[in-house]
């Protein structure tokens, strides 16, 4: 059986650009996996996905016309059931063989083999390999069924269906062509009312011929490019756009670079079949508008690539990725410049209008904006954030920081009432910073207003100053405490108020800024700000929120390289100062590398179990009651080691603290080898438990070392 390469293409109307890459990858992957599962393609087959605005295709190497026959062994039944005492087949066996297409003549060839405690009969046969036409039909059906389609369309078929004009098909977009080539041979398959062939369509406007005839599977990309003016590969088309963008920026000169935005690049790649980058410009007067506004409207609404100078400032030139390449591109350039001008004019109008009112004058209006039906308005929410921010600011920096944080918190949400943020919600916070500067507020306040939503996503930067950190912390805590207080918790993958992201933001600020605040008092301060809006009994929601935060912290630490045991050991103590956690984790990691660590961790676990069973029996250690030499040696070693370890702990040198305790390994081992803790004498028993309690407390100040056992 000769292996040849296979090409399958589905030609459709313009696919949703934001989903195109995922659709193309999924189509090729599922199709190839199904062919491999049927033995039609080798496991190491090279699979190439193609995706353009009007096609999904896959190229698979080494596909067989027919899969190899396969030996099949089927268990029938126990020998005792299938054969009678004289060795003759029972009716049950004959019936089972009949169901498999065999008769009594097959009994002699049945195989006997152990199956558990009994011996069973097995029927061995050869299953013919799947033919490519049938196997590809199955693979194609599966690939279409498993496409991650964001939204399905329903349309009617006109031909090759039961009721032309009435038979409906559900798919991402109407399909108009199907290609299936095994080498140069058409494989007869059907899909979405289409029958496979060897022709497709090229570029809507610039194809050299129509239809485009494909000679064989391997000439697909080359033929489409030459005859159809289409770069079929998503990756190649993206690379060509990047190359042309860089070349156009060089042509503009002055060190200009197009803005870097992978999502925009992917979307534009999904909008064009053969890219042509053009240089356009707008009037310089629009540069008076904050560049974030102009960049956003050009990217989001027009899919343009703004050009930035060497200082990162927006220029009045931008790049357009066109789907056509006319000899004279002036009409295309002029059309894009005319289209963008009203967008920029709107942005300028919004900016000018917004600056006619101060942010302070908008505070009252927040009382008319509903935040949540149980937590009332943005106005009341602002007051809660102010109260939390004042309390944190007072603790961290006294009256000056508390006042600065209060002012920023009062104004932080006021830009929600501006025209610019109403048009572009993504600019919330950013526009507040601009308007704060226009109102004459300090740069410290402006930065805090601008940054209080940070970190917006994983890897985002933190607020630039302490005022911003406090307001961002207060804002996120208000959301978390409020939602947990009313029982509005995330479930599964549903998290409409982004509570997981808010928790990670709180963690990052507490840890990376090493804020000298403790978690439980922080949550209590936030809870106090709600007054009677939340249940009077706070223990359950606050505890649930604390656990939620520790869970997010654990996940974050594991992502950063901490092992599950190390992270568990540190967080088992529920450390209140999260800023200490990285130092504790580093100390545990260093301790775990010591040769004494396994024995001490095991001993610590043993001590913990003993103390649990004898809770309340431990007393202050009386040296006079130390009888055995091993307990005297341990007590003596602790007199030197434990105070040193405690001093190092108090100084924040957690690594040294744990390493000091490593010296106790030998006396601890000797203690358990030579001392009976549960002595018959109650006084001796209590004294020994007291000694172990002191040791346990000292060993578990940095982390619960028993979790390393």
């Amino acid at each position: 059986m000769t292996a040849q390469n296979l090409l399958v293409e589905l030609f459709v109307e313009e696919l949703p650009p934001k989903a195109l890459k995922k659709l193309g990858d999924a189509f090729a992957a599922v199709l190839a996996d199904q062919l491999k599962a049927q033995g039609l393609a080798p496991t190491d087959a090279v699979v190439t996905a193609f995706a353009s605005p009007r096609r999904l295709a896959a190229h698979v190497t080494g596909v067989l016309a027919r899969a190899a026959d396969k030996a099949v062994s089927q268990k029938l039944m126990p020998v005792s059931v299938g054969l009678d005492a004289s060795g003759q087949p029972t009716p049950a066996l004959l019936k089972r063989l009949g169901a498999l297409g065999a008769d009594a003549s097959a009994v002699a060839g049945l195989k006997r083999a152990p199956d558990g405690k009994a011996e069973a009969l097995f029927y061995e046969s050869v299953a013919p390999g799947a033919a490519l036409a049938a196997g590809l039909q199955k693979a194609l059906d599966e690939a279409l069924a498993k496409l991650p389609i964001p939204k399905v369309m329903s349309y009617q078929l006109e031909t090759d269906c039961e009721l032309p004009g009435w038979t409906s098909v559900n798919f991402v977009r109407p399909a108009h062509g199907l290609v299936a080539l095994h080498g140069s041979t058409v494989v007869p398959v059907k899909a979405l009312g289409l029958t496979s062939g060897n022709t497709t369509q090229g570029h809507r406007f610039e194809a050299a011929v129509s239809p485009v005839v494909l000679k064989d599977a391997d000439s697909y990309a080359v033929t489409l490019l030459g005859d159809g003016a289409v770069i079929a590969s998503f990756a190649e088309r993206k690379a060509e756009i990047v190359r042309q963008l860089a070349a156009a920026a060089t042509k503009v000169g002055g060190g200009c670079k197009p803005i870097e935005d992978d999502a925009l690049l992917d979307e534009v790649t999904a909008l064009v079949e053969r890219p042509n980058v053009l240089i356009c410009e707008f009037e310089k007067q629009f540069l008076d508008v904050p560049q974030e506004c102009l960049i956003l409207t050009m990217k989001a609404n027009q899919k343009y690539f703004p050009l930035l100078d060497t200082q990162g400032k927006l220029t009045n030139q931008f790049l357009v990725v066109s789907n056509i390449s006319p000899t004279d591109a002036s009409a295309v350039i002029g059309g894009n410049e005319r289209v963008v001008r009203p967008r920029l004019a709107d942005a300028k109008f919004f900016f000018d209008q917004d600056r006619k009112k101060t942010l302070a004058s908008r505070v009252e209006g927040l009382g008319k904006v509903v935040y949540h039906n149980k937590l009332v308005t943005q106005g009341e929410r602002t007051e809660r954030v102010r109260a939390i921010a004042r309390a944190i600011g007072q603790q961290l920096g006294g009256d000056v920081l508390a006042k600065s944080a209060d002012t920023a918190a009062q104004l932080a949400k006021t830009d929600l009432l501006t025209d610019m943020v109403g048009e572009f919600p993504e600019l919330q916070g950013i526009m507040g910073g601009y308007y704060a500067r226009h109102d004459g507020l300090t740069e410290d306040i402006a930065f805090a207003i601008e940054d209080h939503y940070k970190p917006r996503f994983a890897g985002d930067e933190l607020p630039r100053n302490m005022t911003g950190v406090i307001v961002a912390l207060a804002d996120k805590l208000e959301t978390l405490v409020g939602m947990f207080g009313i029982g509005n918790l995330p479930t599964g993958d549903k998290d409409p108020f982004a509570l997981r992201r808010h928790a990670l933001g709180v963690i990052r600020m507490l840890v990376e800024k090493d804020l000298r605040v403790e978690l439980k008092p922080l949550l209590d301060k936030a809870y106090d700000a709600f007054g009677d809006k939340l249940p009077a009994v706070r223990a359950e929601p606050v505890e649930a929120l604390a656990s939620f935060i520790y869970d997010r912290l654990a996940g974050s630490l594991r992502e950063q390289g901490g092992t599950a045991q190390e992270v568990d050991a540190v967080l088992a103590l529920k450390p209140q100062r999260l800023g200490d956690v990285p130092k504790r984790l580093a100390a545990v990691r260093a301790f775990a590398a010591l040769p004494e660590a396994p024995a001490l961790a095991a001993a610590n676990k043993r001590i913990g179990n003993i103390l649990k069973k004898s809770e309340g029996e431990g007393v202050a250690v009386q040296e006079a009651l130390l009888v055995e030499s091993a307990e005297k040696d341990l007590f003596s070693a602790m007199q030197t080691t434990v105070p040193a370890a405690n001093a190092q702990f108090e100084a924040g040198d957690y690594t040294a603290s744990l390493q000091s305790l490593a010296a106790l390994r030998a006396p601890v081992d000797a203690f358990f080898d030579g001392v009976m803790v549960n002595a018959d004498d109650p006084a001796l028993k209590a004294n020994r438990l007291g000694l172990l309690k002191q040791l346990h407390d000292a060993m578990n100040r940095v982390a619960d070392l028993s979790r390393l056992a």
Side-chain angles (χ1 to χ4, degrees):
M1 290 176 286
T2 305
Q4 297 189 76
N5 297 339
L6 176 74
L7 183 282
V8 179
E9 184 210 63
L10 187 65
F11 179 74
V12 296
E13 293 182 14
E14 278 73 6
L15 291 159
K18 291 184 179 179
L20 179 64
K21 188 176 187 300
K22 189 181 290 186
L23 290 171
D25 291 343
F27 179 75
V30 176
L31 188 81
D33 288 346
Q34 288 295 313
L35 292 173
K36 292 175 183 178
Q38 297 177 74
L40 288 165
T43 55
D44 60 350
V46 178
V47 183
T48 305
F50 297 96
S52 84
R54 297 203 295 161
R55 71 201 74 240
L56 300 174
H59 182 273
V60 185
T61 62
V63 176
L64 299 170
R66 176 179 290 278
D69 293 344
K70 188 176 181 181
V72 179
S73 181
Q74 292 173 280
K75 178 187 171 184
L76 300 178
M77 57 190 66
V79 173
S80 59
V81 176
L83 301 176
D84 60 21
S86 61
Q88 296 302 307
T90 62
L93 178 59
L94 294 175
K95 184 177 181 181
R96 182 69 190 277
L97 287 172
L100 296 174
D103 54 25
S105 62
V107 174
L110 295 180
K111 180 181 177 182
R112 296 188 181 198
D115 182 54
K117 295 181 179 180
E119 192 177 35
L121 294 171
F122 291 83
Y123 176 64
E124 296 186 333
S125 60
V126 176
L132 179 57
L136 180 57
Q137 184 67 65
K138 180 180 178 183
L140 182 58
D141 292 342
E142 192 76 6
L144 296 179
K146 290 187 175 180
L147 275 182
I149 298 173
K151 194 172 183 180
V152 174
M153 285 185 65
S154 181
Y155 61 96
Q156 284 69 47
L157 299 178
E158 297 295 336
T159 59
D160 199 15
C161 62
E162 185 178 352
L163 297 171
W166 292 90
T167 299
S168 292
V169 171
N170 294 321
F171 196 55
V172 59
R173 292 291 185 271
H176 297 296
L178 179 63
V179 173
L181 288 173
H182 186 229
S184 58
T185 304
V186 174
V187 184
V189 290
K190 293 186 176 185
L192 305 174
L194 302 168
T195 302
S196 59
N198 66 343
T199 62
T200 186
Q201 297 295 324
H203 195 287
R204 272 195 187 276
F205 312 110
E206 299 186 348
V209 296
S210 181
V212 175
V213 179
L214 301 172
K215 183 178 67 174
D216 55 41
D218 293 341
S219 64
Y220 175 71
V222 174
T223 304
L224 257 185
L225 181 60
D227 294 346
V230 172
I231 301 175
S233 166
F234 188 95
E236 290 179 16
R237 211 161 55 253
K238 183 176 179 178
E240 175 62 15
I241 292 174
V242 171
R243 186 193 68 77
Q244 290 191 35
L245 288 172
T250 301
K251 186 176 179 181
V252 170
C256 287
K257 289 186 177 180
I259 194 163
E260 294 182 7
D261 189 321
D262 283 341
L264 175 63
L265 186 57
D266 281 346
E267 189 172 359
V268 170
T269 302
L271 287 168
V272 298
E273 292 190 306
R274 189 173 67 171
N276 178 33
V277 174
L278 303 171
I279 303 170
C280 305
E281 65 178 39
F282 57 83
E283 290 79 359
K284 288 187 176 181
Q285 68 185 41
F286 291 121
L287 293 177
D288 294 337
V289 179
Q291 69 178 44
E292 292 90 345
C293 309
L294 305 182
I295 290 171
L296 183 60
T297 190
M298 284 193 282
K299 287 188 343 183
N301 295 319
Q302 305 303 136
K303 316 305 174 190
Y304 296 158
F305 287 85
L307 282 172
L308 307 178
D309 64 18
T310 54
Q311 306 301 314
K313 299 295 184 184
L314 181 68
T315 69
N316 70 317
Q317 292 179 295
F318 59 95
L319 304 179
V320 173
V321 183
S322 173
N323 194 35
I324 57 176
S325 305
T327 305
D328 180 7
S330 59
V332 180
I333 293 171
N336 281 286
E337 290 176 346
R338 282 195 302 275
V339 167
V340 79
R341 193 172 294 119
R343 295 282 188 184
L344 303 183
D346 285 348
K348 186 175 187 307
F349 174 78
F350 294 147
F351 186 55
D352 292 340
Q353 289 297 111
D354 287 342
R355 288 183 297 172
K356 292 178 180 178
K357 290 181 66 176
T358 65
L359 291 180
S361 70
R362 298 179 186 272
V363 172
E364 186 178 349
L366 291 172
K368 300 176 183 177
V369 179
V370 175
Y371 168 57
H372 188 280
N373 64 335
K374 292 183 179 179
L375 301 176
V376 205
T377 66
Q378 282 285 3
E380 291 196 31
R381 180 168 186 254
T382 293
E383 291 304 309
R384 294 194 291 266
V385 174
R386 288 180 68 186
I388 300 167
R390 283 195 302 270
I392 300 173
Q394 189 70 42
Q395 182 177 348
L396 294 177
D399 293 341
V400 174
L401 188 55
K403 183 178 180 182
S404 176
D406 181 43
T407 301
Q410 182 185 32
L411 302 177
K413 302 297 181 185
T414 52
D415 68 352
L416 297 176
L417 303 177
T418 63
D419 292 337
M420 186 71 83
V421 174
E423 181 70 15
F424 302 112
E426 301 92 333
L427 295 177
Q428 58 187 350
I430 294 172
M431 294 314 301
Y434 278 105
Y435 298 143
R437 293 183 186 92
H438 180 264
D439 293 349
L441 295 169
T442 65
E443 196 73 1
D444 190 57
I445 299 295
F447 277 142
I449 293 172
E450 183 177 341
D451 291 350
H452 84 278
Y453 289 103
K454 294 178 180 178
R456 288 181 166 93
F457 50 85
D460 190 18
E461 61 185 14
L462 297 182
R464 285 165 281 190
N465 58 41
M466 188 52 67
T467 303
V469 169
I470 291 170
V471 177
L473 192 57
D475 185 61
K476 289 171 174 55
L477 285 171
E478 192 278 341
T479 301
L480 287 165
V481 170
M483 292 303 158
F484 269 76
I486 62 175
N488 198 350
L489 312 184
T491 55
D493 60 350
K494 294 181 180 178
D495 188 7
F497 288 90
L499 301 187
R500 295 184 180 97
R501 178 165 56 80
H502 285 318
L504 286 171
V506 168
I507 289 166
R508 282 193 58 197
M509 284 184 280
L510 292 177
V511 171
E512 294 177 31
K513 296 295 183 180
D514 196 13
L515 300 183
R516 302 190 69 81
V517 292
E518 296 189 347
L519 183 61
K520 179 62 165 56
L522 199 59
L523 299 183
D524 283 334
K525 287 174 185 175
Y527 204 96
D528 290 339
F530 282 84
D532 60 0
K533 291 291 188 295
L534 297 182
V537 180
R538 68 178 64 188
E540 186 176 341
V542 169
E543 183 59 35
L545 176 53
S547 297
F548 182 76
I549 291 173
Y550 283 121
D551 286 345
R552 306 281 84 69
L553 177 56
S556 176
L557 293 173
R558 287 194 293 269
E559 287 176 3
Q560 295 171 39
T563 67
Q565 281 182 311
E566 292 165 353
V567 172
D568 190 28
V570 171
L571 298 187
L573 300 185
K574 296 286 190 286
Q576 290 298 299
R577 275 199 57 201
L578 301 193
D580 277 351
V581 168
K583 290 188 291 184
R584 289 175 183 255
L585 187 60
V588 168
R589 189 169 294 156
F591 174 79
L594 297 175
E596 298 90 349
L600 282 174
N604 189 57
K605 186 173 184 179
R606 183 175 179 182
I607 293 169
N609 291 334
I610 291 171
L611 293 176
K612 282 179 188 175
K613 295 176 183 177
S614 309
E615 190 171 353
E617 292 188 39
V619 295
V621 180
Q622 298 180 51
E623 192 171 357
L625 292 178
L626 298 173
V627 178
E628 305 290 345
S629 59
E631 60 183 328
K632 291 178 181 178
D633 291 344
L634 176 58
F635 179 77
S636 176
M638 287 172 59
Q639 298 313 297
T640 304
T641 303
V642 172
N646 286 342
Q648 290 160 337
F649 177 87
E650 297 300 340
D653 192 348
Y654 301 139
T655 300
S657 179
L658 286 182
Q659 289 178 337
S660 294
L661 292 171
L664 293 175
R665 178 196 170 170
V668 167
D669 287 348
F671 177 88
F672 281 114
D673 287 342
V675 178
M676 175 67 71
V677 176
N678 292 321
D680 293 333
D681 185 337
L684 286 180
K685 177 181 177 182
N687 202 56
R688 288 167 183 172
L689 288 173
L691 181 63
L692 291 182
K693 179 72 167 57
Q694 281 188 15
L695 177 60
H696 192 261
D697 291 345
M699 291 178 70
N700 292 290
R701 295 194 73 185
V702 175
D704 182 354
L705 298 183
S706 68
R707 306 296 176 107
L708 301 177

